[in-house]
Amino acid sequence: MRHLFFLLFTVFTFAQQNHKVDFKTAFGNISVNPIEKKVSGSVRYIFDVKQTIDTIRIDAQKMVITNVKINNKTVKFTNTGRTLNLFEGYKTGKNKVAFIYEATPKQTMYFNGHFDCAQCDKDSIIPSAVEGQVWTQGQGKYTSHWFPSFDDVNEKVIFNLNISFDKKYQVLSNGVLLKELPNKNQMIWQYEMKKPMSSYLLAVVIGDFRHQVVASKSGIPLQLFIQTKDTAKFESTYRYSKQIFDYLDEEIGVKYPWKIYKQIPVEDFLYAGMENTSATIFAEDYVVDAIGFNDRNYVNVNAHELAHQWFGDLVTAKSGKHHWLQEGFATYYALLAERQIFGDDYFYHQLYRSSLQLRNAARTDTIPVLNEKASSFSFYQKGAWALHLIRETIGPKLFQKAVINYLKKHQFQNAETDDFLVEVKKVSNFDTEKFKKVWLEDYRFRNDEANVLLKKNEFIRTLFETQKMRLKPFAENKEKFKELLQSNVFYPVKTEILYQIKDISFEDKKELLLLALQTNDVKVRQSVAEFTDEIPLEFKTNYETLLDDVSYDTREIAFMNLWKNFPESRTVYLAKAEKWIGGNDKSLRSLFLTFSIENQSPEKDNYYKELVNYSSPLYESSVRQNAIINALAINEKDPTVLKNLINATTHYKWQFTKFARDKIRELFVGGAKPQFQMIYQTLSEKEKIQLDKLLEEKK
């Protein structure tokens, strides 16, 4: 209850402050130290006092703050460890506050890899296969961990940052880069914004990057960054980027609100992407080559984060209750952009898939969209479906008109759900009250309404008809299946057929499998790989062609299935896989190493060393996780791997730490507790703390 009281008090306090004080502009001069993992510098805010107020607060989490001056005069202040509190020296009207700060952020600003820089202590450098990076992730209200700012999204400020760092690296932030000023072995990057934004959208990225600039139709420069080591992946990573930007700029109907747009991939990012104002940061997982593009590409994330530049950055939801105004809009406009690239069938299939998930989720998830505790899935997918319903009901032109009016009326401000629905009501006879009750205030998903909209598409109608064929005997369906497999119908119909025949005898389905392979569709062929457990000898040669598919996922599935079915050909398959790497997680390389060791390769000792090395902190978490799983499958008592597993529990990426904790618990159940106790004294204090917590769970 105390924690809840504090939150309510804080929200109330800052809501009251916003009525009385308006922070206009921020100027920050900061320096980042990657070795000590610190950030420090000076901050100056210009603000207006509109009404008499006792205390003005600036959020500053666990910061050392000194030399506070208001209107050029030193003033008294308090630092609670959460906020900088100002209570003297300001007047009604325009004011200026300046101070010096230092922070060692435990979250929000993350330090990765190996830095080779003039300011670095060479003795303290930890070798790493990951080039040094610093990046921020302030989603919600966390920027105040590295820059004194405002946790309240309703406080919008024009931010300008001067950032000092070693000149060997590239430093990126929001807005336009005005100047790069040499300063001995360092450089000062000066960034300027012209319009206000919420603090959580402030960002810094430091790393070894190259970039290309593409001009959009409207003249906005698109700066597309990539790590130097990944330049060969540039085209496949950023494929369709200009098309996406030009489409959304036109479809939304309001000019892109910022002067520039940057996109920057970073290692071990916490999420798929983050829409910092004018500068999207996204996960290295989406940096792909031409083959990886077919397994996991950046297109949807690209469009989603760009849409946020309007929905979230230009107009920000007033509170968590209205979060769907950001995520629902970004999800829906991303789908509309993908529709332009991949076509109507793709668009409707994505809507269909999310409708199934929403229908199933409603069985256990009883929190509606219009609730700050709603699941991310509801905010994103049900929010998108709600918008699709409106757009299909009133038509694209009126929908666009409502969106334009909504964005223009609330630009650089905050909004809530009724603000948007009012604009819908103005341009149409749409029943917004009924819509709000049914789609936003009721947790249930309107599957019947969704299906009516889905059936506007011929492919979906064919898919539904094909699904109904599950109720009929195979003999009755075979000819229709052949017809569909040889048609141009979108691939999910064909994968549905392969699912239906997976348990049919090979002789009966052989012709259909061959037709499926002949489609040369990556997804259809992948389904052949996935749904064929037992491979008859006569089908071996056909199935082996999957090892050459332009999909790392297909190759992995096919390799493992062939390995199981044809032990006598394992040496051949290993030779085929020897040069495979796979995606950024090195999945295919880990697969090759693991199976070579299992097959008693003459190089098995060297291969095992390589695998164990991938499990270490030298590599990104996705590489480590694959390696840990495979290395423990070979030797679950290896002290080096166990130590690397414990180290994983100290990682900042919650998905990776969860994997590590769960894996340790699993090993405890298997009797491995003594092995962990044997290496206990070799652990760091941080690692010991994490292992102690897990050991305590077992008592």
Side-chain angles (χ1 to χ4, degrees):
M1 290 297 292
R2 183 180 179 184
H3 179 62
L4 178 61
F5 171 79
F6 174 79
L7 287 176
L8 292 173
F9 176 77
T10 302
V11 171
F12 177 77
T13 299
F14 278 97
Q16 291 292 97
Q17 176 169 302
N18 287 342
H19 292 303
K20 298 180 179 181
V21 181
D22 183 12
F23 280 83
K24 297 287 191 180
T25 311
F27 300 91
N29 294 280
I30 67 172
S31 178
V32 179
N33 186 324
I35 302 305
E36 296 182 11
K37 298 183 178 180
K38 287 185 177 181
V39 57
S40 59
S42 62
V43 181
R44 176 164 54 94
Y45 276 105
I46 307 299
F47 65 98
D48 285 347
V49 175
K50 298 180 287 185
Q51 299 179 32
T52 301
I53 185 170
D54 291 333
T55 305
I56 298 173
R57 293 172 174 83
I58 299 173
D59 290 298
Q61 303 289 339
K62 299 180 181 178
M63 294 181 179
V64 176
I65 296 175
T66 58
N67 201 31
V68 179
K69 294 183 179 181
I70 294 181
N71 300 324
N72 298 317
K73 293 183 179 180
T74 301
V75 296
K76 295 178 181 178
F77 66 94
T78 60
N79 181 354
T80 69
R82 295 174 183 261
T83 59
L84 165 63
N85 296 336
L86 309 172
F87 46 83
E88 65 176 26
Y90 46 82
K91 60 185 185 299
T92 302
K94 186 176 181 180
N95 294 269
K96 177 179 70 175
V97 60
F99 53 89
I100 294 171
Y101 84 100
E102 181 179 287
T104 307
K106 301 302 180 185
Q107 64 181 84
T108 313
M109 177 173 275
Y110 298 93
F111 300 82
N112 257 346
H114 158 66
F115 283 91
D116 181 16
C117 53
Q119 74 189 83
C120 300
D121 177 0
K122 301 301 181 183
D123 294 331
S124 67
I125 290 176
I126 301 173
S128 176
V130 178
E131 182 65 46
Q133 291 184 344
V134 180
W135 47 263
T136 59
Q137 168 58 8
Q139 174 67 53
K141 56 179 183 179
Y142 299 113
T143 293
S144 59
H145 285 264
W146 69 270
F147 189 85
S149 51
F150 305 94
D151 292 347
D152 184 356
V153 299
N154 295 281
E155 183 67 82
K156 289 189 174 250
V157 180
I158 299 172
F159 285 98
N160 303 279
L161 291 185
N162 296 341
I163 307 162
S164 298
F165 200 78
D166 191 279
K167 63 184 180 181
K168 292 180 182 178
Y169 292 85
Q170 183 77 42
V171 175
L172 308 168
S173 189
N174 312 81
V176 174
L177 177 61
L178 293 181
K179 294 179 182 178
E180 294 176 84
L181 303 176
N183 182 19
K184 296 182 180 179
N185 291 320
Q186 293 204 324
M187 188 79 75
I188 300 173
W189 285 263
Q190 295 187 342
Y191 283 96
E192 178 186 71
M193 290 289 294
K194 292 288 190 181
K195 298 295 184 179
M197 66 185 194
S198 301
S199 296
Y200 78 92
L201 298 166
L202 190 62
V204 169
V205 180
I206 300 172
D208 179 21
F209 297 106
R210 299 293 181 268
H211 76 278
Q212 294 183 24
V213 180
V214 179
S216 67
K217 280 185 180 179
S218 59
I220 297 295
L222 313 179
Q223 289 189 332
L224 309 177
F225 289 84
I226 202 157
Q227 290 191 73
T228 301
K229 68 181 178 66
D230 292 324
T231 51
K233 299 178 179 179
F234 184 91
E235 187 282 327
S236 44
T237 297
Y238 286 114
R239 193 176 297 169
Y240 306 120
S241 289
K242 181 183 184 305
Q243 185 176 342
I244 291 168
F245 188 95
D246 290 340
Y247 170 76
L248 288 180
D249 208 18
E250 183 176 345
E251 174 61 32
I252 291 170
V254 173
K255 185 180 178 181
Y256 175 78
W258 321 103
K259 296 295 184 182
I260 196 168
Y261 185 51
K262 296 182 276 282
Q263 297 185 71
I264 314 128
V266 299
E267 306 273 357
D268 267 330
F269 196 56
L270 296 171
Y271 306 102
M274 177 61 199
E275 68 280 7
N276 309 289
T277 307
S278 79
T280 284
I281 301 174
F282 66 97
E284 178 74 10
D285 293 340
Y286 295 100
V287 175
V288 294
D289 60 18
I291 296 175
F293 183 89
N294 295 319
D295 296 319
R296 167 187 276 185
N297 60 63
Y298 179 50
V299 175
N300 181 266
V301 176
N302 189 341
H304 182 101
E305 304 307 334
L306 175 58
H308 271 309
Q309 297 296 322
W310 288 268
F311 305 102
D313 295 10
L314 177 61
V315 178
T316 308
K318 286 183 179 179
S319 67
K321 178 180 179 180
H322 306 284
H323 191 51
W324 82 282
L325 288 175
Q326 296 175 191
E327 298 302 348
F329 271 92
T331 301
Y332 188 54
Y333 274 97
L335 280 176
L336 291 175
E338 286 188 294
R339 186 182 198 171
Q340 294 299 303
I341 297 167
F342 301 126
D344 276 1
D345 292 346
Y346 176 91
F347 172 77
Y348 277 97
H349 185 234
Q350 294 303 110
L351 283 173
Y352 168 65
R353 290 178 61 190
S354 67
S355 74
L356 292 180
Q357 293 171 304
L358 286 163
R359 183 183 65 190
N360 292 332
R363 296 170 183 169
T364 55
D365 185 355
T366 59
I367 301 176
V369 171
L370 209 55
N371 187 311
E372 62 184 12
K373 295 182 180 180
S375 66
S376 293
F377 192 73
S378 291
F379 284 136
Y380 286 64
Q381 300 299 338
K382 193 173 182 184
W385 256 105
L387 293 171
H388 183 60
L389 176 78
I390 298 175
R391 190 173 187 266
E392 289 293 296
T393 303
I394 69 176
K397 289 185 178 179
L398 291 180
F399 183 80
Q400 184 189 57
K401 187 175 181 180
V403 168
I404 290 171
N405 293 340
Y406 164 71
L407 289 174
K408 286 186 174 180
K409 184 174 181 179
H410 301 284
Q411 62 183 340
F412 309 112
Q413 299 175 41
N414 299 77
E416 55 189 29
T417 298
D418 285 342
D419 294 324
F420 171 64
L421 295 183
V422 162
E423 301 306 326
V424 173
K425 190 69 175 177
K426 284 180 183 178
V427 301
S428 69
N429 294 319
F430 187 76
D431 190 339
T432 55
E433 286 304 312
K434 179 182 177 183
F435 164 82
K436 187 176 177 181
K437 289 178 182 178
V438 170
W439 282 88
L440 304 180
E441 296 178 339
D442 189 334
Y443 72 90
R444 288 168 293 187
F445 181 70
R446 302 293 163 168
N447 198 59
D448 290 342
E449 289 182 59
N451 282 344
V452 169
L453 296 177
L454 288 170
K455 287 178 180 178
K456 289 183 176 183
N457 176 260
E458 183 180 353
F459 146 69
I460 290 291
R461 294 196 299 272
T462 303
L463 179 61
F464 285 174
E465 290 167 5
T466 307
Q467 289 171 341
K468 289 178 182 177
M469 295 171 74
R470 296 180 186 184
L471 302 174
K472 298 179 182 179
F474 170 71
E476 289 185 30
N477 294 333
K478 188 172 182 179
E479 289 305 312
K480 183 63 176 178
F481 285 168
K482 286 169 60 178
E483 178 188 332
L484 289 169
L485 285 170
Q486 294 177 88
S487 73
N488 292 324
V489 69
F490 195 41
Y491 82 86
V493 170
K494 299 175 183 181
T495 59
E496 166 66 22
I497 291 169
L498 292 167
Y499 172 76
Q500 289 188 31
I501 68 173
K502 65 185 178 67
D503 296 323
I504 300 297
S505 69
F506 176 74
E507 284 304 317
D508 287 335
K509 67 182 179 183
K510 177 181 176 181
E511 184 180 7
L512 299 177
L513 291 178
L514 292 173
L515 287 173
L517 291 177
Q518 289 166 15
T519 64
N520 291 322
D521 184 292
V522 171
K523 297 299 184 184
V524 176
R525 287 174 60 87
Q526 189 173 106
S527 291
V528 173
E530 190 174 3
F531 295 139
T532 308
D533 292 329
E534 294 185 10
I535 308 170
L537 186 60
E538 63 179 294
F539 192 57
K540 179 184 177 187
T541 301
N542 301 105
Y543 193 94
E544 286 174 338
T545 64
L546 296 165
L547 295 173
D548 293 312
D549 271 27
V550 285
S551 163
Y552 295 131
D553 290 347
T554 301
R555 292 181 185 185
E556 182 171 359
I557 296 166
F559 180 95
M560 296 180 72
N561 208 9
L562 286 164
W563 184 272
K564 179 183 67 176
N565 277 269
F566 303 107
E568 70 280 3
S569 298
R570 288 177 175 178
T571 303
V572 175
Y573 300 142
L574 287 173
K576 183 79 174 177
E578 186 174 7
K579 301 300 182 182
W580 289 356
I581 300 297
N584 290 311
D585 60 358
K586 299 185 187 293
S587 59
L588 294 189
R589 183 59 181 171
S590 287
L591 176 145
F592 168 76
L593 296 173
T594 304
F595 282 83
S596 293
I597 295 164
E598 180 183 326
N599 206 47
Q600 297 298 310
S601 165
E603 293 293 314
K604 67 176 183 178
D605 290 342
N606 289 331
Y607 288 156
Y608 184 70
K609 287 178 183 177
E610 182 181 347
L611 185 63
V612 171
N613 187 48
Y614 289 148
S615 75
S616 74
L618 298 177
Y619 293 89
E620 197 181 14
S621 64
S622 60
V623 177
R624 295 181 65 187
Q625 184 165 324
N626 275 336
I628 288 170
I629 291 169
N630 289 323
L632 289 176
I634 295 167
N635 180 9
E636 67 176 21
K637 295 183 179 181
D638 187 322
T640 302
V641 180
L642 293 178
K643 186 173 180 179
N644 289 338
L645 177 61
I646 297 167
N647 175 268
T649 65
T650 68
H651 201 277
Y652 63 79
K653 191 169 182 177
W654 67 267
Q655 299 95 328
F656 187 43
T657 59
K658 181 181 184 302
F659 153 77
R661 290 194 299 269
D662 289 345
K663 191 66 180 176
I664 291 172
R665 292 183 185 110
E666 177 188 320
L667 291 171
F668 281 170
V669 172
K673 188 174 179 180
Q675 279 71 44
F676 285 97
Q677 292 172 328
M678 287 173 63
I679 61 174
Y680 186 85
Q681 294 305 321
T682 68
L683 304 178
S684 69
E685 287 306 309
K686 195 174 180 181
E687 290 167 342
K688 286 178 180 177
I689 290 170
Q690 295 302 316
L691 183 57
D692 284 339
K693 289 179 181 178
L694 291 164
L695 288 167
E696 284 297 317
E697 288 180 1
K698 304 304 294 179
K699 292 182 179 179

